[in-house]
Amino acid sequence: MGRLTRPPALVVGERVRFDGQVRGVLEVTAQAAVLEDAEDPHRVVALIELFEAEDFEVLFRPERMPLPASSVLEALPAAAVKQALWWESHILEVVHGLPPDVERGREPREEYGPGTSLTAREKAKASELSRAGHPATASTVARLRRRYLKDGVAGLADGRAARKRPEFGTVDPGVVDAMRQAIKEGVETSTRTASYLIWRTKEILKQTEEGQAATWPSRATLYRLVEKLTAGTHATGSAVTRRSKAHTAAVPFGELTVSAPGEVMQIDSTPLDVLVRLDNGVVGKVELTAMIDVATRTPTAVVLRPSTKSVDASVLLARTVTPELMRPGWVDALKMSRSVLPHRRLLTLDERLEHAAAKPVIVPEMIVCDHGKAFISRNFRASCRFLEIDFQPTHKGAPFEKGHIEKMLGSVATMFAQFLPGHTGRNTDHRGRHPEKENLWSLPELQELLDEWVVARWLNRPHEGLRDPDHPGRLFTPNQKYAALIESCGYVPVALSGQDYIELLPAAWRAVNAYGIRINNRTYDAPELGPMRRHHSGVTAKRGLWEVHRDPYDVSRVWVRNHRGGGGWVPATWKYLNRAPVPFGDLAWDHVSHQLPKATEEELAEAVAALLTRAHAGPAQVAEGKKGKKNKPSKRDRQVTARTRATAPAVVSPQPEPSQEAADEPVAEEQPETEEPMAEVIPLGLFDPLEDPWRRP
């Protein structure tokens, strides 16, 4: 038994091969088809005969009539749209025999009924329209029918009404090209007005023969041209935004897929729009330096400093891999044990998390930064190499390549800084009348508030960039995202020891002389430096000098690497530390050095100590000079002292041993037993970075 096959379908408008000719299908009935013929107007062939022919083949099947292009119709005048819809009703009657929107069961008219060809219908429609006062030919109806079957109702509209005007009207293309060149030249320069761009355009045209022949438009046309060409470029606006727009990639933005905490992190610094009281009434602004994890949007470290230095970026790395401990006064709800973070599992890996706040500890694998001096410095790059972190700077003038940290710093100004006294706004237009007279926070207090706000608010706030792929309507908080990713990525704690802390400090190379080491007119010495004095370090690349690490915010001591003794660190103390027990940094020292260029080291130490004492006492507590003038510190003195004290760690000077005269003095009479005994005084020692802060007592 042969295989059953469905007979082919035949549609009006198809091209078929039959009886040695290529013919068009004019009409199809239940029993026969009307085909085109080379000798006669048409040929009627029975369907059974047509399908059984050996050379029968369907060569062309017209595509389904496209949907009307509504956007094209919306761009046309109302009269043109009305005319196209009027033609559509007549063309549909030619194609299908019935006009649209007719009653069900209505029979087609005789001239459009079954058995009539398309040619006959087109002639009938042309005659009908001509009698009704709309002159038309059969060829016109046929042309509109073919356009309707190809383009829909849009093909029936008058194309002249849809013609588009040139983008820049009748302006000479040479003028347009010259103005584009003028706009491009101003990307890296200072902002200028539209009149300058017009002048520069004319100068560019004068340099070429083609430009001299160009037609110069009117003044109004030129200003309209400037408005069109500078749209979105900020050519006459912000220079920073203009450079950023000009360096934006012309191709579609790519997307870096990040699936693990620490895989990609970004770091940046920006001025904080808040005034702080640095010390003793001195008001100033500070910079906010932060690092954010792209996968979880967690700000792993946030630091406030009067000015960002390379050592601050290195210290930021140390804070990133160090747990955030609970502070006095923080509520229990901020503990990691009370959060969504897997505290019990992490505690088995790192005991430091027992009293930690609800802030993830994330180890960076790659850090993306801009070309700021603090981030491309040798010290910061050395810190990244030391911690085995990939250092990836962005392209110059491309802040969008680290958009996550840019957005985060802007959010801090919106969500946190505006609630603080002394908020200045992002520019002078948004600044109040006297923000410096408000009740300002000090820098340590503001840092404490910012740390608490990050733990309490930011880490528990649903983030727009942290959506569930399977449920886009659900937002994750940074802590929730970290808890979700840790299930697949795990956690590897990295604890920084005192040795690591010293490694992150900036380095200098000095000789160890008989009197010690001199750095910036300061002498450092220690008994352990004995074997190094006036000896070669063995580092020939540095001419035998010794590697010295120092903290720019505390000049009281330095650390010398013992190249001959296994590479350990030898602490050396400033020789005149007892004259200035309060720690101060390079800023205060350099300020006094410029005031007293010929002073000795001992005199400089006394001057710095006196400066700090005068500033700490305040402008009201001053002493009379020799000539009756008050020794009031200058504004610059107070600013330097305040910025130094704001960034200096607390150091307690060693207490002197009791003298023999004090021991021989008579002992005071005993107090009555009813008197409450004095509490034991426990002195605070100096900070020792070599000591492990996490060891148990």
Side-chain angles (χ1 to χ4, degrees):
M1 184 175 180
R3 180 181 178 184
L4 296 176
T5 58
R6 173 178 294 183
L10 207 59
V11 182
V12 174
E14 290 182 337
R15 307 290 291 181
V16 298
R17 187 186 303 277
F18 173 70
D19 198 11
Q21 293 183 12
V22 176
R23 309 167 187 269
V25 180
L26 302 179
E27 184 181 354
V28 179
T29 64
Q31 301 294 331
V34 181
L35 306 179
E36 293 178 347
D37 191 81
E39 300 177 356
D40 300 324
H42 60 270
R43 180 177 176 180
V44 180
V45 183
L47 293 181
I48 187 63
E49 179 184 353
L50 180 64
F51 295 154
E52 293 294 336
E54 295 182 358
D55 61 344
F56 172 75
E57 181 183 1
V58 179
L59 301 179
F60 169 74
R61 288 185 178 273
E63 297 181 357
R64 180 182 60 84
M65 185 180 64
L67 295 175
S70 58
S71 59
V72 176
L73 296 179
E74 292 175 357
L76 295 174
V81 175
K82 183 178 180 181
Q83 182 71 10
L85 296 176
W86 178 81
W87 269 112
E88 182 184 23
S89 62
H90 293 286
I91 295 300
L92 288 175
E93 187 174 13
V94 172
V95 175
H96 301 295
L98 290 173
D101 301 330
V102 297
E103 299 83 358
R104 180 171 297 182
R106 178 179 174 181
E107 295 293 334
R109 290 186 288 176
E110 181 180 356
E111 57 269 29
Y112 303 105
T116 57
S117 64
L118 280 175
T119 304
R121 294 180 184 181
E122 292 166 355
K123 292 180 180 180
K125 180 57 68 175
S127 301
E128 176 187 343
L129 294 177
S130 298
R131 290 193 303 269
H134 303 283
T137 61
S139 60
T140 301
V141 176
R143 176 174 54 84
L144 293 176
R145 176 184 60 81
R146 290 190 295 269
R147 290 177 56 179
Y148 180 77
L149 295 177
K150 179 182 178 182
D151 301 325
V153 69
L156 303 177
D158 188 355
R160 294 172 296 180
R163 289 179 180 177
K164 296 182 180 179
R165 185 181 179 184
E167 183 179 4
F168 304 107
T170 59
V171 179
D172 194 301
V175 177
V176 176
D177 295 338
M179 185 168 290
R180 281 176 172 162
Q181 181 179 346
I183 295 173
K184 186 177 181 181
E185 291 176 354
V187 171
E188 302 294 338
T189 61
S190 301
T191 301
R192 293 181 170 91
T193 61
S195 60
Y196 169 82
L197 295 177
I198 295 175
W199 172 84
R200 180 56 185 158
T201 301
K202 195 170 186 178
E203 293 295 317
I204 294 175
L205 289 174
K206 293 180 181 179
Q207 299 174 2
T208 60
E209 296 181 0
E210 296 80 1
Q212 295 176 1
T215 303
W216 189 250
S218 64
R219 181 175 181 272
T221 302
L222 286 171
Y223 275 95
R224 287 194 297 266
L225 181 61
V226 170
E227 184 178 358
K228 290 182 179 179
L229 292 179
T230 59
T233 63
H234 288 261
T236 58
S238 171
V240 177
T241 308
R242 178 171 65 253
R243 290 191 295 269
S244 177
K245 293 286 186 180
H247 291 89
T248 302
V251 298
F253 290 105
E255 183 176 356
L256 179 61
T257 303
V258 182
S259 57
E263 188 174 352
V264 177
M265 303 185 73
Q266 297 176 357
I267 186 174
D268 198 10
S269 179
T270 186
L272 188 65
D273 301 330
V274 172
L275 295 177
V276 299
R277 195 171 303 279
L278 297 174
D279 184 36
N280 197 18
V282 177
V283 176
K285 296 193 70 173
V286 294
E287 289 189 358
L288 171 66
T289 305
M291 183 180 299
I292 191 172
D293 174 52
V294 176
T296 62
R297 304 299 198 274
T298 298
T300 57
V302 180
V303 175
L304 295 175
R305 286 290 184 267
S307 60
T308 303
K309 299 182 179 180
S310 59
V311 65
D312 295 326
S314 300
V315 172
L316 208 66
L317 293 178
R319 294 196 62 179
T320 297
V321 296
T322 304
E324 185 76 42
L325 298 181
M326 291 289 294
R327 315 284 179 82
W330 287 16
V331 296
D332 291 342
L334 301 183
K335 290 183 177 180
M336 183 178 291
S337 57
R338 299 282 302 277
S339 68
V340 298
L341 299 176
H343 177 257
R344 293 183 178 274
R345 182 185 305 177
L346 299 178
L347 186 61
T348 60
L349 301 173
D350 194 339
E351 296 181 356
R352 300 176 299 170
L353 301 177
E354 182 178 358
H355 303 290
K359 180 180 178 181
V361 179
I362 300 177
V363 181
E365 296 182 13
M366 175 189 293
I367 293 181
V368 179
C369 63
D370 57 17
H371 290 260
K373 293 183 178 180
F375 306 129
I376 63 173
S377 63
R378 182 173 56 183
N379 179 54
F380 182 68
R381 287 182 292 177
S383 302
C384 291
R385 288 194 300 269
F386 174 73
L387 296 176
E388 298 181 354
I389 299 172
D390 293 336
F391 176 77
Q392 181 61 57
T394 63
H395 295 87
K396 291 186 177 181
F400 57 88
E401 295 183 356
K402 53 178 182 62
H404 298 292
I405 184 65
E406 295 278 353
K407 182 65 174 178
M408 182 261 177
L409 295 177
S411 299
V412 171
T414 304
M415 301 172 56
F416 175 70
Q418 65 173 340
F419 294 96
L420 298 173
H423 179 242
T424 61
R426 62 177 181 268
N427 53 40
T428 55
D429 294 338
H430 294 77
R431 181 171 300 180
R433 183 175 294 274
H434 297 294
E436 68 279 358
K437 295 183 179 180
E438 300 179 10
N439 188 21
L440 305 179
W441 292 97
S442 65
L443 183 57
E445 292 172 334
L446 186 58
Q447 179 72 60
E448 189 84 8
L449 287 173
L450 181 57
D451 292 338
E452 184 176 2
W453 178 83
V454 169
V455 177
R457 173 59 175 164
W458 183 277
L459 296 178
N460 297 287
R461 168 180 170 266
H463 198 284
E464 183 68 24
L466 303 177
R467 291 186 177 271
D468 187 349
D470 295 331
H471 305 280
R474 178 186 177 187
L475 301 180
F476 283 107
T477 67
N479 278 350
Q480 290 173 342
K481 189 66 175 180
Y482 178 84
L485 292 180
I486 204 175
E487 296 295 333
S488 58
C489 303
Y491 170 78
V492 179
V494 176
L496 287 182
S497 62
Q499 299 283 345
D500 300 330
Y501 171 80
I502 298 176
E503 290 286 355
L504 293 176
L505 297 178
W509 293 84
R510 294 292 187 272
V512 181
N513 297 298
Y515 53 81
I517 301 174
R518 289 184 66 84
I519 297 180
N520 197 11
N521 296 328
R522 296 187 296 271
T523 303
Y524 297 87
D525 200 1
E528 293 80 7
L529 295 179
M532 307 180 190
R533 302 181 192 275
R534 307 180 65 179
H535 282 77
H536 196 285
S537 65
V539 183
T540 57
K542 294 296 182 179
R543 298 174 299 173
L545 300 179
W546 299 80
E547 183 180 359
V548 182
H549 283 208
R550 62 192 184 95
D551 187 347
Y553 294 116
D554 184 7
V555 297
S556 62
R557 66 179 62 200
V558 296
W559 291 268
V560 185
R561 190 188 297 276
N562 189 357
H563 298 282
R564 296 290 187 179
W569 294 100
V570 176
T573 309
W574 185 25
K575 183 178 179 180
Y576 295 101
L577 180 62
N578 60 339
R579 296 184 181 271
V582 179
F584 55 90
D586 285 343
L587 184 63
W589 179 269
D590 294 339
H591 175 65
V592 178
S593 299
H594 290 303
Q595 290 182 341
L596 305 173
K598 297 183 180 180
T600 63
E601 182 180 351
E602 182 177 357
E603 292 172 340
L604 290 177
E606 293 178 351
V608 172
L611 184 151
L612 296 175
T613 302
R614 293 197 311 269
H616 181 72
Q621 300 180 9
V622 294
E624 293 291 336
K626 295 181 179 180
K627 297 183 180 181
K629 297 182 179 181
K630 295 183 178 181
N631 297 328
K632 183 178 180 180
S634 64
K635 182 179 180 180
R636 177 60 179 168
D637 292 342
R638 298 196 306 271
Q639 289 179 344
V640 170
T641 306
R643 293 170 71 89
T644 302
R645 292 175 60 88
T647 56
V651 177
V652 181
S653 59
Q655 298 295 330
E657 295 291 336
S659 60
Q660 184 63 31
E661 290 78 6
D664 296 336
E665 290 181 0
V667 180
E669 296 182 1
E670 295 183 358
Q671 298 293 334
E673 294 183 359
T674 58
E675 196 75 14
E676 183 177 357
M678 298 292 291
E680 181 183 1
V681 177
I682 303 177
L684 298 176
L686 294 175
F687 170 70
D688 188 1
L690 296 177
E691 180 181 358
D692 187 1
W694 308 113
R695 66 180 180 84
R696 295 189 176 184

